[in-house]
């Protein structure tokens, strides 16, 4: 499954989708489950929304600065995405990072999602000194943003505000015969 | 409102001060057996039953009456606040004799006062006592005595009735009956505070359904109750409790109360959240919370709600029932409200409650209510969960899991359940360690079903562990017990255990899936798919779709030789018993359809069975026409997998789907209002075209 993962340090320095294509390793044809609103199952039971889950993605992380340009392979696994709360989490493995202690560095990936409707978190919070108009103009540059839901078959871009990250995920499914679904539901 | 916070039965009971009767006791014998015998020996007062007032009682009669008063007084003094003595007198059969003293027309006011006080005391705090008092007909006699010319008799009777009506065993008072309503109104309009307080207690005890609440509103009862707020502290508390009972869960009653006289009643209650008495503050908070629940539009002021949070957090520090109940009131206030939970967090609610918990023993009711409040604070907010996990309380919660008291075990499970809603906790597998899992699994064997259900709630969430440490839970013995509970007679236990297995199955490797299925067996799985409760069916189908996720071989579990599982799924989908069942069933079929050609054919045969009578349309078309977008999405995904490009027989399947009218239905959905559906529809139609091109080439 060719996937791209791009990480930029600041909003102003991010690249637009389509750059930095890197091929990753194939992964099983698992994909998105769905999101469901809270509902009561039985008296005394409260369901809360369940998360979408993707399998592994792979790609390259590029870091550009005045001093150096570095790139290393990364594997990203998105564990959960709570659309109601605008929260996404997962794990990221970076392989052979220069100056790292171990060949594989793992870290928890988690943060607030900037979504197309700016429902939950936008950059208009004041933290980043943007004004809403700038914010809308800025985010509307990314036509695939609204495809957030459809990550399984499209190029999708997930923007996260805190910490700022842009995940660009492209999944293809050429060698499989369909998509399967897996889900969990919290109580 | 629990009886404990509704006027204070025990202090009130103690208000009837024991009289000094040492001199009598020294010469007459005061053992319960002797007193009961003496009371019985005094018999009916002379002149009883002939309607006399006792004026003609002779010297002998006067002595007997005096003796009876002394016996009644002594019994009353012994039982007040003494549960053991009450039970002893109950065994000796003293209650009918005491109640009989109320019935005598010739009884002196002194005897009536003592008998009424004793009856009230028997009814207070001991269910058997209340039962005996009611069985002896005390309510009727005491009610009659409310019109007695002697004010002391009226006071004592009203107090006794109040204690009786504070018992859950007391009969309900149907205020929809015109006579009863007139009686309650007459009590409310009395000049005697004991009597008006009795009216408030009767209303709190009896007001249960909507029509009773509206009848009381129409009679102007809430306004009358508010007008009594200026009385004694006990009266004010009883009235507050009554107002809460009248408006609870009744939008119209709450709305009328909040808007009558430009919200005078509402503002009066609001003023009482600053009252000097902690109990009054608590009752005022509870009244406002009930108002907000019943009619949110009349209680939108965020500042007031914030104030309530502050007041309730302060009340947690109060001793006794008030401090015990305050966390429960806070729980009710913030329940399901993200905004109020955030507000509570900014007032350091987690820290304050945690400190109280650490300062108190786990043996107390307060510990239970505080844990429940902390649990609610963690139900939505990640920050609250982090705070709770970071303080010493998390150790205390684990201790509570092993506590002897079931209530505290349940509260601790509730905390763990809500903490484990955290994506961070799940991603990090922070609760997947022996110290948490061990005690929780032990609770699955608990003798109390409520504890088992609570433990299952926590295990359900912890089972969604996204780290390699999932195997720790998997091989801890939990699977066999979950399988055992999935066969329980209790539907909630079945639901929650299957739910936990479903979450445990999520993203498992084939070897671990095999482990679960060997424990569960395909035959149990088939039975659970056809369970009598559709909630259980739904979770079982979700378990199956997690089972057949990701690996082609896993589909063999469900389309094995005898087709037991697929038959069960097919039956449920054809019955279309509930929406959730249909959605999960379609995701199972979608997952199977992602497999090889034989898997896809198996799904086709479920969707479009080869039948001689092809009259009945396939359920697929109905599902595509469903108003529920999730069902449409699931069905479209299943179709997509069936006609996936470059699969050998896709074109044949497309033809079958076309002949059954399925593709025509998909075409009609090209502008589906749900974007997700719209995209899948386009993909299905594109695949149809691609397959046609491939065939042509």
């Amino acid at each position: 499954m060719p996937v791209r993962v791009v990480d930029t340090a600041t909003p102003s320095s991010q690249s637009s989708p389509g750059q930095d294509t890197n091929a990753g390793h194939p992964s099983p044809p698992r994909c998105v489950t769905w999101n469901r609103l809270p509902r009561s199952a039985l008296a005394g039971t409260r369901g809360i929304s369940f998360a979408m889950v993707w399998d592994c993605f792979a790609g390259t992380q590029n870091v550009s600065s005045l001093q150096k340009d570095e790139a290393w392979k990364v594997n990203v696994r998105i564990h959960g995405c709570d659309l109601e709360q605008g929260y996404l989490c997962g794990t990221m493995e970076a392989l052979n990072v220069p100056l790292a202690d171990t060949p594989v560095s793992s870290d928890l990936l988690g943060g607030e999602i900037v979504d197309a409707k700016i429902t939950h978190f936008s950059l208009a919070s004041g933290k980043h000194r943007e004004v809403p108009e700038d914010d809308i103009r800025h985010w509307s540059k990314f036509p695939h943003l609204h495809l957030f839901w459809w990550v399984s078959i499209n190029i999708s871009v997930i923007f996260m505000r805190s910490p700022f990250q842009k995940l660009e995920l492209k999944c293809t499914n050429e060698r499989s015969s369909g998509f399967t679904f897996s889900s969990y539901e919290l109580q | 409102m629990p009886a404990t916070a509704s006027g204070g039965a025990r202090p009130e009971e103690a208000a009837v001060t024991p009289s000094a009767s040492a001199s009598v006791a020294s010469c007459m014998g005061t053992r319960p057996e002797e007193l009961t015998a003496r009371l019985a020996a005094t018999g009916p007062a002379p002149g009883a039953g002939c309607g006399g007032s006792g004026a003609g009682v002779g010297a002998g009669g006067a002595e007997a009456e005096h003796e009876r008063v002394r016996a009644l007084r002594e019994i009353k003094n012994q039982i007040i606040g003494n549960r053991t003595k009450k039970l002893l007198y109950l065994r000796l059969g003293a209650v009918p004799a005491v109640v009989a003293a109320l019935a005598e027309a010739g009884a002196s006011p002194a005897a009536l006062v003592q008998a009424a006080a004793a009856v009230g005391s028997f009814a207070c705090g001991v269910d058997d006592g209340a039962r005996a008092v009611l069985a002896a007909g005390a309510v009727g006699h005491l009610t009659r005595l409310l019109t007695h010319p002697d004010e002391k008799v009226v006071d004592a009777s009203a107090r006794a009735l109040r204690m009786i009506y504070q018992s859950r065993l007391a009969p309900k008072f149907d205020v929809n009956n015109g006579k009863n309503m007139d009686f309650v109104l007459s009590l409310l309009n009395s000049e005697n505070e004991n009597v008006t307080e009795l009216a408030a207690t009767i209303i709190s005890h009896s007001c249960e359904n909507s029509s009773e609440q509206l009848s009381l509103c129409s009679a102007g009862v809430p306004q009358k109750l508010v007008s009594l707020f200026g009385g004694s502290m006990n009266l004010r508390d009883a009235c507050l409790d009554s107002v809460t009972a009248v408006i609870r869960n009744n939008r119209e009653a709450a709305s009328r109360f909040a808007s009558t006289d430009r919200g005078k009643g509402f503002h009066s209650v609001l003023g009482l959240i600053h009252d000097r008495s902690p109990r009054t503050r608590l009752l005022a908070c509870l009244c406002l919370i009930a108002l907000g629940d019943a009619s949110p539009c009349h209680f939108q002021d965020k500042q007031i709600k914030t104030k309530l949070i502050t007041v309730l957090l302060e009340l947690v520090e109060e001793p006794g029932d008030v401090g015990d109940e305050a966390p429960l009131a806070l729980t009710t206030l913030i329940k399901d409200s993200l905004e109020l939970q955030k507000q509570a967090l900014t007032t350091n609610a987690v820290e304050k409650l945690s400190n109280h918990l650490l300062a108190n023993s786990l043996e107390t009711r307060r510990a239970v209510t505080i844990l429940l409040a902390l649990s609610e604070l963690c139900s939505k907010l990640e920050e609250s969960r982090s705070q709770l996990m970071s303080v010493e309380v998390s150790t205390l919660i684990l201790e509570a899991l092993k506590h002897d008291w079931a209530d505290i075990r349940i509260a601790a499970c509730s905390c763990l359940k809500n903490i484990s809603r955290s994506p961070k906790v799940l991603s990090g597998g922070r609760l997947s360690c022996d110290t948490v899992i061990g005690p929780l699994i032990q609770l699955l064997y608990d003798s109390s079903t409520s504890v088992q259900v609570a433990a299952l709630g926590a295990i359900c969430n912890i089972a969604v562990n996204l780290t390699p440490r999932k195997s720790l839970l998997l091989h801890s013995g939990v699977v066999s017990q979950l399988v055992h509970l999935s066969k329980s007679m209790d539907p909630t236990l079945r639901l929650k255990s299957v739910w936990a297995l479903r979450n445990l199955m999520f993203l498992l490797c084939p070897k671990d899936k095999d482990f679960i299925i060997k424990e569960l067996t395909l035959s149990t799985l088939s039975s659970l798919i056809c369970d009598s409760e559709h909630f259980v069916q739904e979770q079982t189908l979700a378990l199956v779709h997690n089972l057949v996720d990701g690996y082609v071989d896993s589909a063999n579990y469900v389309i094995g030789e005898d087709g037991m599982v697929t038959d069960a799924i097919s039956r449920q989908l054809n019955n279309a018993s509930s929406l959730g069942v249909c959605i999960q069933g379609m995701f199972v079929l979608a997952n199977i359809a992602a497999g090889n050609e034989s898997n896809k054919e198996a799904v086709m045969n479920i969707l479009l069975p080869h039948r001689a009578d092809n009259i009945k349309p396939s359920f697929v078309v109905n599902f595509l026409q469903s108003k529920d977008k999730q069902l449409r999405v699931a069905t479209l995904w299943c179709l997509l997998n069936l006609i996936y490009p470059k699969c050998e027989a896709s074109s044949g399947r497309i033809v079958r789907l076309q002949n059954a009218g399925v593709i025509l239905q998909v075409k009609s959905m090209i502008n589906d209002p749900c974007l997700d559906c719209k995209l899948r529809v386009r993909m299905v139609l594109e695949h149809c075209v691609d397959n046609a091109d491939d065939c042509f080439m």
Side-chain angles (χ1 to χ4, degrees):
Chain A
M1 185 185 293
V3 173
R4 293 169 304 168
V5 178
V6 181
D7 187 358
T8 50
T10 60
S12 57
S13 66
Q14 72 205 3
S15 56
S16 61
Q19 287 179 293
D20 306 323
T21 307
N22 289 287
H25 63 71
S27 72
R30 268 181 187 163
C31 69
V32 181
T33 61
W34 63 99
N35 186 281
R36 192 154 80 168
L37 292 172
R39 61 127 176 82
S40 293
L42 280 179
T45 303
R46 286 189 305 124
I48 65 169
S49 63
F50 51 140
M52 302 193 294
V53 174
W54 293 271
D55 211 0
C56 289
F57 298 93
T60 305
Q61 178 150 346
N62 300 306
V63 176
S64 295
S65 66
L66 289 173
Q67 290 80 25
K68 57 184 176 181
D69 283 339
E70 286 179 352
W72 56 82
K73 283 189 175 178
V74 293
N75 294 324
V76 175
R77 188 179 177 114
I78 297 173
H79 291 154
C81 169
D82 186 343
L83 288 181
E84 283 189 24
Q85 303 299 318
Y87 183 82
L88 182 140
C89 68
T91 46
M92 183 184 276
E93 280 180 345
L95 311 179
N96 302 314
V97 180
L99 303 177
D101 297 334
T102 52
V104 180
S105 317
S106 295
D107 200 5
L108 188 70
L109 171 81
E112 299 159 345
I113 301 164
V114 176
D115 61 12
K117 293 178 189 165
I118 325 271
T119 314
H120 298 290
F121 302 103
S122 74
L123 294 178
S125 64
K127 277 187 189 173
H128 300 273
R129 296 184 203 152
E130 283 84 4
V131 292
E133 291 73 21
D134 286 347
D135 184 52
I136 291 164
R137 200 178 310 120
H138 176 74
W139 293 108
S140 58
K141 286 181 199 163
F142 302 99
H144 295 295
L145 194 56
H146 69 283
L147 292 177
F148 170 72
W149 278 89
W150 304 334
V151 69
S152 57
I153 48 160
N154 291 284
I155 296 171
S156 288
V157 188
I158 301 164
F159 291 99
M160 294 162 71
R161 188 186 71 171
S162 174
F164 185 82
Q165 280 179 314
K166 185 178 83 175
L167 298 180
E168 225 180 286
L169 308 169
K170 185 187 177 191
C171 314
T172 60
N173 201 32
E174 288 163 0
R175 274 164 292 184
S176 71
S177 49
F179 289 91
T180 60
F181 300 82
S182 194
S183 69
Y184 64 85
E185 189 173 3
L186 297 174
Q187 286 196 9
Chain B
M1 183 66 213
T4 47
S6 59
R10 285 179 186 281
E12 186 183 349
E13 185 189 16
V16 184
T17 48
S19 316
S21 54
S23 58
V24 178
S26 62
C27 60
M28 303 288 292
T30 57
R31 289 173 53 231
E33 293 81 358
E34 292 165 345
L35 281 169
T36 309
R38 272 166 55 195
L39 187 61
T42 52
C50 30
S53 63
V57 175
E63 181 55 36
E65 183 65 4
H66 187 60
E67 171 60 16
R68 192 211 317 264
V69 172
R70 278 189 301 191
L72 284 167
R73 183 187 294 125
E74 189 56 37
I75 291 173
K76 176 205 74 182
N77 287 349
Q78 287 188 15
I79 62 171
I80 283 179
N82 190 331
R83 185 184 166 83
T84 315
K85 280 278 171 64
K86 281 182 197 178
L87 292 173
L88 180 59
Y89 276 105
L90 279 172
R91 269 205 307 281
L92 293 168
V95 171
V98 175
V99 173
L102 295 170
E104 289 169 20
S108 65
L112 291 172
V113 167
Q114 295 304 326
V119 164
S121 182
F122 274 119
C124 183
V126 179
D127 278 355
D128 283 345
R131 211 171 275 122
V133 162
L134 290 166
V139 171
H141 299 312
L142 289 167
T143 306
R144 182 176 47 79
L145 290 173
L146 290 175
T147 53
H148 197 279
D150 190 313
E151 196 68 7
K152 283 182 183 166
V153 174
V154 175
D155 280 341
S157 303
R159 275 198 296 265
L161 278 171
R162 222 164 53 222
M163 284 187 245
I164 292 171
Y165 277 109
Q166 280 170 359
S167 163
R168 63 189 171 87
L169 297 169
K172 300 293 172 193
F173 206 87
D174 179 13
V175 291
N176 277 332
N177 176 320
K179 266 184 167 178
N180 286 346
M181 178 65 93
D182 290 344
F183 175 67
V184 170
L185 291 176
S186 71
L187 295 183
L188 265 183
N189 290 322
S190 166
E191 295 290 318
N192 183 322
E193 279 207 354
N194 279 313
V195 176
T196 45
E197 197 181 333
L198 167 65
T201 308
I202 290 176
I203 292 166
S204 301
H205 175 77
S206 303
C207 187
E208 278 191 330
N209 61 44
S210 173
S211 71
E212 286 170 344
Q213 289 169 318
L214 292 175
S215 297
L216 288 164
C217 280
S218 301
V221 167
Q223 286 71 38
K224 180 68 193 169
L225 288 165
V226 169
S227 74
L228 295 170
F229 282 174
S232 71
M233 193 173 72
N234 281 347
L235 177 61
R236 189 170 62 228
D237 289 353
C239 289
L240 264 172
D241 201 23
S242 273
V243 171
T244 308
V246 174
I247 61 175
R248 184 180 289 133
N249 298 327
N250 190 325
R251 180 185 289 265
E252 195 181 334
S255 169
R256 277 202 223 171
F257 175 72
S259 50
T260 306
D261 296 340
R262 292 189 206 155
K264 187 181 164 196
F266 172 75
H267 287 104
S268 300
V269 176
L270 192 59
L272 293 177
I273 66 170
H274 301 294
D275 194 86
R276 278 178 60 197
S277 154
R279 179 176 298 279
T280 305
R281 294 205 294 276
L282 174 65
L283 290 167
C285 288
L286 285 166
C287 187
L288 292 172
I289 292 168
L291 180 73
D293 272 352
S295 180
C297 64
H298 284 97
F299 188 30
Q300 290 177 323
D301 192 326
K302 283 181 196 168
Q303 278 186 326
I304 299 177
K305 288 181 178 175
T306 308
K307 189 72 199 166
L308 287 186
I309 292 172
T310 314
V311 170
L312 289 170
L313 282 172
E314 283 166 6
L315 286 173
V316 178
E317 294 177 30
E318 292 293 331
D321 292 343
V322 172
D324 293 350
E325 300 301 325
L328 275 191
L330 180 66
T331 308
T332 315
L333 175 65
I334 63 172
K335 200 170 182 62
D336 298 329
S337 166
L338 184 64
E339 186 193 344
L340 288 179
Q341 289 180 17
K342 279 183 182 166
Q343 198 61 52
L345 191 67
T346 57
T347 54
N348 295 327
V350 173
E351 191 188 331
K352 284 177 185 169
L353 290 170
S354 299
N355 289 340
H356 281 296
L357 194 62
L358 290 166
N360 285 285
S361 157
L362 277 179
E363 305 282 340
T364 57
R365 174 162 165 75
R366 188 163 313 189
V368 174
T369 56
I370 288 179
L371 275 176
L372 291 173
L374 284 170
S375 168
E376 193 57 42
L377 280 164
C378 292
S379 66
K380 291 180 189 291
L381 283 180
E382 194 62 27
E383 202 180 330
S384 296
R385 294 172 190 142
S386 308
Q387 280 190 20
L388 197 58
M389 286 288 282
S390 64
V391 296
E392 294 164 66
V393 176
S394 54
T395 318
L396 205 66
I397 291 171
L398 296 181
E399 262 179 53
L401 287 179
K402 300 173 200 162
H403 202 275
D404 290 340
W405 191 18
D407 285 359
I408 201 101
R409 295 200 295 277
I410 291 171
C413 286
S414 176
C415 273
L416 284 177
K417 182 194 77 181
N418 286 350
I419 290 171
S420 58
R421 283 177 176 182
S422 156
K424 280 183 192 166
V425 169
L426 293 178
S427 295
R430 286 178 69 185
L431 293 177
S432 294
C433 49
D434 285 332
T435 46
V436 180
I437 290 174
L440 274 178
I441 292 173
Q442 276 306 309
L443 294 183
L444 294 183
Y445 296 88
D446 204 282
S447 56
S448 152
T449 307
S450 307
V451 175
Q452 286 179 308
V453 168
L456 280 169
I459 288 174
C460 258
N461 291 357
I462 293 171
V464 189
N465 175 359
L466 302 161
T467 68
R469 279 148 87 188
K470 194 161 186 163
S471 59
L472 188 73
L473 179 61
L474 199 64
H475 299 291
S476 60
V478 75
V479 175
S480 58
Q481 183 58 8
L482 288 176
V483 169
H484 176 71
L485 292 175
S486 73
K487 297 168 188 166
S488 161
M489 293 294 286
D490 185 316
T492 310
L493 282 179
R494 287 205 305 280
L495 170 74
K496 301 241 174 178
S497 51
V498 173
W499 195 329
L501 284 169
R502 172 253 182 111
N503 284 353
L504 202 54
M505 188 71 91
F506 174 69
L507 295 182
L508 271 194
C509 67
K511 192 179 143 209
D512 289 339
K513 284 182 177 178
D514 205 47
F515 173 73
I516 294 180
I517 285 301
K518 274 188 180 143
E519 289 270 358
L520 185 62
T521 74
L522 292 180
S523 121
T524 309
L525 197 59
S526 309
S527 310
L528 287 168
I529 290 171
C530 300
D531 192 275
S532 56
E533 301 291 329
H534 61 86
F535 297 114
V536 179
Q537 299 166 12
E538 183 183 340
Q539 285 301 329
T540 311
L541 287 167
L543 166 78
V544 177
H545 92 231
N546 280 353
L547 172 68
V548 283
D549 156 64
Y551 305 94
V552 172
D553 289 347
S554 56
N556 293 336
Y557 286 118
V558 291
I559 52 169
E561 288 168 13
D562 54 4
M564 189 165 39
V565 178
T566 42
D567 284 352
I569 296 169
S570 172
R571 203 160 44 243
Q572 292 297 11
L573 289 175
N574 277 294
N575 290 341
S577 53
S578 91
L579 191 61
V581 169
C582 296
I583 293 169
Q584 300 296 344
M586 285 317 292
F587 274 115
V588 174
L589 295 189
N591 280 7
I592 301 172
N596 57 30
E597 284 299 319
S598 69
N599 294 348
K600 288 180 196 292
E601 280 308 307
V603 173
M604 280 301 286
N605 290 337
I606 294 173
L607 299 187
L608 307 170
H610 296 287
R611 279 190 301 231
D613 60 322
N614 239 350
I615 305 162
K616 194 183 168 194
S618 168
F619 59 83
V620 185
V621 176
N622 292 337
F623 288 0
L624 288 172
Q625 291 169 345
S626 166
K627 284 181 183 166
D628 185 273
K629 62 183 178 188
Q630 286 180 27
L631 182 54
R632 298 202 302 276
V633 168
T635 311
L636 286 164
W637 267 115
C638 180
L639 295 176
L640 265 172
N641 284 346
L642 285 171
I643 61 170
Y644 212 74
K646 304 200 176 7
C647 293
E648 288 169 37
S650 282
S651 51
R653 285 191 286 274
I654 288 173
V655 171
R656 274 177 76 186
L657 289 167
Q658 269 172 340
N659 291 343
V662 177
I663 301 297
L664 190 67
Q665 172 59 34
V666 174
K667 278 182 185 166
S668 73
M669 296 163 70
I670 193 84
N671 287 319
D672 195 289
C674 163
L675 287 177
D676 209 4
C677 287
K678 196 172 171 178
L679 183 76
R680 308 299 160 215
V681 164
R682 281 163 200 259
M683 286 171 67
V684 169
L685 297 178
E686 277 168 20
H687 289 350
C688 287
V689 174
D690 290 348
N691 270 293
D693 291 347
D694 288 348
C695 289
F696 182 72
M697 286 163 76

